[in-house]
């Protein structure tokens, strides 16, 4: 998936989680964390949005683990959650946004041909039953659908405030 689809997916899943699971009630920091979290797993790809911003870290992670391994796994999500629990326990909206954003990233990448190694370090790839080609026509449709959901959710939330 491209960076813009990941950002839209992170924001859309944060909105859905905010409605059904989490009590953040539209906190902007939660949504910003969700969009950032949607980019973090691609730190293992040197040409990704985050990889280009942090090239030394990206190259190191890529050379040690490869692409779509550790950073696209349940282990990685657990490490992030543990770090926040130990060091930043009071920042729950940032933690939740980051985790939800990373989950959206992993789900979107699981819908590509390569899939993800969700259970890293096990050498087993998880793919959804349908495949999307990165940058292809279906990804553009998916991006538009996610964007439409974001707009509708935002308008509905705005209507509730008025």
């Amino acid at each position: 998936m491209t960076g813009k689809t990941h950002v839209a997916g992170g924001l859309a899943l944060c909105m859905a989680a905010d409605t059904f699971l989490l009590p953040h009630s539209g906190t902007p920091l939660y949504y910003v964390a969700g969009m950032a979290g949607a980019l973090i797993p691609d730190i293992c790809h040197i040409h990704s949005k985050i990889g280009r911003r942090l090239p030394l870290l990206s190259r190191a992670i890529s050379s040690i683990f490869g692409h779509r391994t550790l950073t696209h796994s349940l282990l990685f999500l657990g490490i992030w959650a543990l770090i926040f629990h130990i060091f930043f326990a009071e920042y729950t909206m940032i933690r939740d946004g980051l985790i939800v954003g990373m989950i959206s990233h992993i789900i979107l990448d699981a819908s590509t041909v390569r899939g993800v190694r969700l259970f890293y370090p096990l050498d087993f790839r998880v793919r959804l039953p349908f495949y999307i080609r990165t940058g292809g026509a279906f990804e553009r449709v998916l991006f538009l659908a996610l964007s439409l959901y974001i707009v509708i959710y935002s308008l509905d939330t705005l209507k509730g405030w008025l």
Side-chain angles (χ1 to χ4, degrees):
M1 294 289 153
T2 59
K4 67 181 181 184
T5 303
H6 280 304
V7 169
L11 182 55
L13 190 58
C14 278
M15 290 173 164
D18 193 28
T19 301
F20 299 109
L21 301 172
L22 303 170
H24 298 302
S25 300
T27 308
L29 194 53
Y30 164 72
Y31 292 128
V32 170
M35 291 185 290
L39 295 175
I40 288 173
D42 270 346
I43 189 66
C44 64
H45 190 290
I46 59 174
H47 299 294
S48 67
K49 285 191 181 296
I50 192 168
R52 289 190 309 264
R53 301 279 188 272
L54 303 168
L56 295 178
L57 180 60
S58 180
R59 286 186 196 283
I61 292 171
S62 179
S63 66
I64 295 169
F65 299 104
H67 184 47
R68 291 190 183 172
T69 57
L70 173 66
T71 63
H72 288 67
S73 71
L74 295 175
L75 176 61
F76 190 68
L77 291 173
I79 290 168
W80 273 90
L82 182 63
I83 288 169
F84 262 87
H85 179 72
I86 292 171
F87 298 107
F88 309 103
E90 65 276 8
Y91 298 106
T92 57
M93 71 181 84
I94 296 172
R95 179 204 60 211
D96 292 349
L98 286 171
I99 297 295
V100 170
M102 286 189 272
I103 289 169
S104 77
H105 183 108
I106 293 168
I107 291 169
L108 287 170
D109 277 359
S111 70
T112 63
V113 175
R114 287 191 58 208
V116 297
R117 287 185 52 194
L118 187 63
F119 302 106
Y120 182 85
L122 298 177
D123 191 18
F124 174 74
R125 289 205 176 266
V126 173
R127 286 179 219 127
L128 296 178
F130 52 87
Y131 303 141
I132 299 171
R133 203 175 103 244
T134 300
F138 193 76
E139 182 182 349
R140 288 191 294 274
V141 170
L142 178 61
F143 173 74
L144 289 173
L146 290 168
S147 299
L148 182 62
Y149 173 79
I150 292 165
V151 168
I152 291 169
Y153 180 92
S154 299
L155 290 173
D156 189 51
T157 301
L158 184 61
K159 186 172 57 176
W161 289 348
L162 298 176

